Structures are given as structure tokens and as C-alpha cells.
Amino acid sequence: MIVFGTDFDDTLYFHSGKELGVRQKDLDAIARFKNAGNQFGLISGRARCMMPEIDELLSGKVKFDFMIFSNGACICDQEGKILWEHFMPEEVVRDVFEQAAKDKIGIVLHGTECLYQTQEMDFQNAIHVTSIDEFDPSRIYSISFHPLSEVEKDFFRTNQNRQDVVVVANSQFADFNANEITKGTALNRLTHMMSQSENLSAAIGDSFNDESMLKDADISFTFETSDPSVKKCAACIVDGIHEAVDILLDPKQLAANCRR
């Protein structure tokens, strides 16, 4: 069995370009892949509490076999039930919150049941907070922000040098996670949880926060338009999920590109 995880934004669901939304050719390929006895799931930087929004964007057309949220901090089954979770150190959450407040940088905090955001952010369905006393800092999966302004870019660069946290960018946000919490470690953890050593792992993504799973998966895919550093991490360059599935279901191509 192959356990295949996909990034969401601009990998499964496209926000720009000729084909907006989820592509029919990818939907058809996902159905073929699952009908062959494999598992297809989501591996996203988005939070678990955003499941309704994800389902709405997909119009219910994709039924995931598993879901991984907050860049690997929360692993769920097909119904969204938490199988494994890991929170950021509380002292890191407090420090980042204080830094952001001092420099008036908008941040979004991934809680267990909802998103929290500072006043500088206007994120859909997130609760505004002005003090760290308004939420539990010991139960935060990840922290996200836009590295757009010079102040935000400096905030990103400074915190990338930390030893107690992982800070990585994607196409729209930069994210804080606890050490050793990445999309790659989550995909490996999920594959091992299935207790079948013969399972192969596969991944597809387009951005910097996907690099870990592209490197860690037995076979991985990205796009020609991806950043060169992302392309270096992938085994194959494809047009999308449909071409990845063609390779995964072809024994010769799978054997030629599998790293195991």
C-alpha cells in the first residue's frame, strides 16, 4: 500500500492560474489511486479547526483517508479524530507573542479548537486576542504570520536562528513549530502507525514547508514552477497530482523513482 500525502494550497487547490480550485484530472487520479487500495491524505500548514473551510473549498469532492495539520503537529484520521498531537513549548509561545506585540506584527495561533489572532490580523473565523491570558499558551500547535513588510521579514530571519523552534515559510505564510515537528516527520509517523513495514510513503508539495516531506518520503513530487531548493528535495517533477498518480501506479516508474 502507498500512503500519499498532498499539500493543500496550490498543490491540490489552486488559488491562481488557468485552472482555479481543485482540478478534475486530479480528482479522477485520486479516485484511481484509492480504488487501487492505497491511502490519500492531506498534509497542510493549515490548522485542524479549518477542516470545514477546506471541505467547503473542495465542495466535498475529496474524502481524505488521513489529515495532518499545522505542519505536522496534529495527525488525524479520516473523520478528523486526533491520533497524535504535539504542542509548541509554552515559553516559546509567550516569547513570540511578546515579540509580535512589541513590533506590532500580526500573528495567528493554531489552537486545539480555534484560531487566535492579534489585532493586526484579519483572518477568517479567528478570535482576536490582545493578551496571552486570553488563551492557553501550552496548547498551541503552531504560529503563523505574513513575512511581507521589512519588520516582518526581520522577525522571520531573527527567529529562524532559534534553537528551540522551527521557522519555515510557505507560499503565503511563515510558521513556527516545535523542534522536529515537520510535515516529513508527521508522514513518517503516520506510516509507522499503520504497522505495515511494507507501506511506501509518497508526498507532493510546492513550497518551502513541504521540503521535509519531499525529502523524507520514499517517493516525492513537486512542480516545475517550484523554487529550485524545493525541486532539489523531490524525486520527480510533475504537472500535478494526476501525473504523480500515473507514476505511483506504474510499477516500473515507481521502482525507478523510489528511494527505498
Side-chain angles (χ1 to χ4, degrees):
M1 181 175 70
I2 303 171
V3 181
F4 185 18
T6 180
D7 175 48
F8 184 76
D9 294 291
D10 297 317
T11 300
L12 174 61
Y13 186 91
F14 292 87
H15 298 274
S16 61
K18 295 180 180 179
E19 300 173 280
L20 297 177
V22 59
R23 306 186 296 188
Q24 186 59 49
K25 55 190 173 185
D26 290 337
L27 291 174
D28 294 340
I30 293 168
R32 285 193 293 116
F33 182 76
K34 288 165 63 73
N35 288 338
N38 302 299
Q39 294 212 350
F40 181 79
L42 177 70
I43 307 181
S44 177
R46 291 175 178 245
R48 175 176 173 267
C49 59
M50 298 177 72
M51 284 171 52
E53 178 184 330
I54 291 170
D55 192 54
E56 181 179 353
L57 287 171
L58 296 175
S59 301
K61 294 178 180 178
V62 180
K63 179 65 175 177
F64 297 114
D65 296 304
F66 61 88
M67 292 173 283
I68 295 173
F69 297 105
S70 299
N71 291 318
C74 182
I75 301 176
C76 300
D77 65 13
Q78 60 185 351
E79 303 301 330
K81 178 182 178 181
I82 297 174
L83 302 175
W84 183 91
E85 62 186 354
H86 187 84
F87 301 106
M88 291 181 62
E90 181 176 344
E91 61 271 20
V92 173
V93 176
R94 290 182 176 277
D95 183 44
V96 172
F97 191 90
E98 290 173 3
Q99 285 185 56
K102 177 183 176 182
D103 294 329
K104 296 184 179 180
I105 294 171
I107 59 174
V108 177
L109 303 103
H110 300 205
T112 54
E113 301 299 332
C114 65
L115 295 173
Y116 302 100
Q117 63 184 341
T118 56
Q119 294 299 315
E120 294 78 13
M121 294 294 284
D122 188 21
F123 204 71
Q124 184 180 8
N125 299 325
I127 298 172
H128 276 106
V129 293
T130 58
S131 166
I132 202 163
D133 296 327
E134 295 176 56
F135 61 92
D136 186 348
S138 70
R139 295 182 63 79
I140 297 298
Y141 293 127
S142 180
I143 299 175
S144 303
F145 68 99
H146 287 298
L148 300 176
S149 70
E150 287 306 313
V151 173
E152 291 164 334
K153 289 178 181 177
D154 186 59
F155 177 65
F156 173 69
R157 288 189 291 265
T158 299
N159 282 288
Q160 269 197 313
N161 296 323
R162 298 179 70 125
Q163 300 300 310
D164 56 358
V165 72
V166 176
V167 186
V168 65
N170 59 42
S171 59
Q172 300 181 44
F173 287 90
D175 304 303
F176 288 80
N177 279 93
N179 279 334
E180 300 183 3
I181 299 300
T182 67
K183 290 185 175 185
T185 57
L187 178 60
N188 286 337
R189 181 170 286 109
L190 174 72
T191 304
H192 293 153
M193 287 168 66
M194 293 179 178
S195 302
Q196 296 184 39
S197 59
E198 67 273 16
N199 286 343
L200 290 178
S201 61
I204 183 169
D206 72 310
S207 199
F208 302 112
N209 66 334
D210 299 314
E211 289 184 355
S212 61
M213 69 175 182
L214 298 181
K215 289 188 291 186
D216 292 350
D218 294 318
I219 181 170
S220 58
F221 311 89
T222 193
F223 306 93
E224 183 60 45
T225 54
S226 298
D227 187 89
S229 70
V230 179
K231 289 195 281 189
K232 286 181 181 179
C233 299
C236 305
I237 304 298
V238 294
D239 176 63
I241 290 172
H242 62 289
E243 286 191 359
V245 168
D246 288 341
I247 293 172
L248 293 174
L249 296 184
D250 183 323
K252 290 185 178 180
Q253 291 196 71
L254 177 60
N257 293 287
C258 187
R259 294 163 172 156
R260 184 182 292 188

